[in-house]
Amino acid sequence: RDDTGGTLQTAALVTAGVVAGATLAVLLRRISHNRAQGHSRPSAASSALPSRLQKCSRLVVQSVDCHCEGLPARVVIGGAPRMQEEQISSCRERREAFMQEHDSFRRIMLQEPRGYPCQNVDIIFPPTKAEPSAAFSYIIGENAKVYPSMSGHNTICVATALLETGLVPMQEPRTEFVLEAPIGPISISAVCKGGKALSVT
């Protein structure tokens, strides 16, 4: 739990049938350790996993649970289904392909026992050919097979998670970067201090 009032609350390592909780502090310490070893960002879900799960043959997902003024979002930063990237030229195309081919992943992340009716999931991907200068691309999944093209609170949660896990390098007092959503590029400006994103616009 973040007791300083920030939006980033917890990190969870989720397997199909197993939920292994990890505090955000533990996840960030492991990411910092990886950086010290010369890894600028986690290259696989196993990079921050407990040793007992590193050889797990089941689905392992790396995610960060956030909220924006109480509106929840589970940001998946590792372990999402692989897609045929060479056939995807935009985030909108990725969204359509994900809806058709991988909707079971949305259900795993949002339905009981791992989710609840108000939960959303934001799945992080590399940028597509349409927006090569974006830091990351993401798609949004909600209950009832809803995949919005854009969501303000999900975008804020995605930006916060990317900054506070170090996937987007944080610069104080302000970090600016671009995210690619299904609706198109979104310019992010975040006020940062002490390793935290204090506000995102």
Side-chain angles (χ1 to χ4, degrees):
R1 175 170 292 278
D2 172 14
D3 294 323
T4 62
T7 56
L8 199 55
Q9 288 190 305
T10 60
L13 305 173
V14 185
T15 71
V18 179
V19 177
T23 65
L24 177 61
V26 170
L27 178 61
L28 293 179
R29 277 199 303 272
R30 288 179 177 155
I31 290 173
S32 296
H33 174 74
N34 288 343
R35 284 183 184 156
Q37 300 300 315
H39 305 294
S40 61
R41 62 177 62 179
S43 59
S46 63
S47 63
L49 288 176
S51 59
R52 66 185 175 82
L53 291 178
Q54 287 184 8
K55 296 181 180 179
C56 182
S57 61
R58 290 172 287 185
L59 170 67
V60 177
V61 174
Q62 212 173 7
S63 67
V64 181
D65 282 359
C66 305
H67 76 88
C68 175
E69 296 294 333
L71 296 173
R74 177 163 290 154
V75 183
V76 175
I77 59 175
R82 295 183 180 274
M83 303 186 70
Q84 297 179 350
E85 294 294 330
E86 66 280 359
Q87 299 179 10
I88 296 173
S89 60
S90 71
C91 190
R92 181 175 293 274
E93 287 184 10
R94 177 182 281 143
R95 170 181 170 266
E96 295 298 323
F98 198 94
M99 289 172 65
Q100 294 174 14
E101 300 168 14
H102 301 293
D103 188 60
S104 59
F105 185 80
R106 177 194 60 82
R107 296 197 303 271
I108 288 171
M109 299 306 294
L110 297 185
Q111 295 177 358
E112 296 287 354
R114 299 163 200 89
Y116 62 101
C118 293
Q119 183 67 277
N120 296 322
V121 63
D122 302 308
I123 307 166
I124 307 301
F125 293 96
T128 68
K129 301 170 188 174
E131 298 296 335
S133 62
F136 288 94
S137 170
Y138 70 103
I139 59 175
I140 306 162
E142 298 180 356
N143 276 290
K145 202 176 180 180
V146 174
Y147 286 81
S149 293
M150 168 58 184
S151 165
H153 101 266
N154 282 287
T155 301
I156 290 170
C157 288
V158 165
T160 301
L162 292 174
L163 285 165
E164 293 194 13
T165 57
L167 293 174
V168 169
M170 185 180 289
Q171 298 178 347
E172 299 181 11
R174 185 177 297 273
T175 306
E176 296 183 344
F177 60 99
V178 174
L179 289 174
E180 183 188 15
I183 201 169
I186 301 171
S187 296
I188 301 294
S189 180
V191 175
C192 304
K193 184 178 181 181
K196 298 191 69 62
L198 302 181
S199 69
V200 177
T201 55

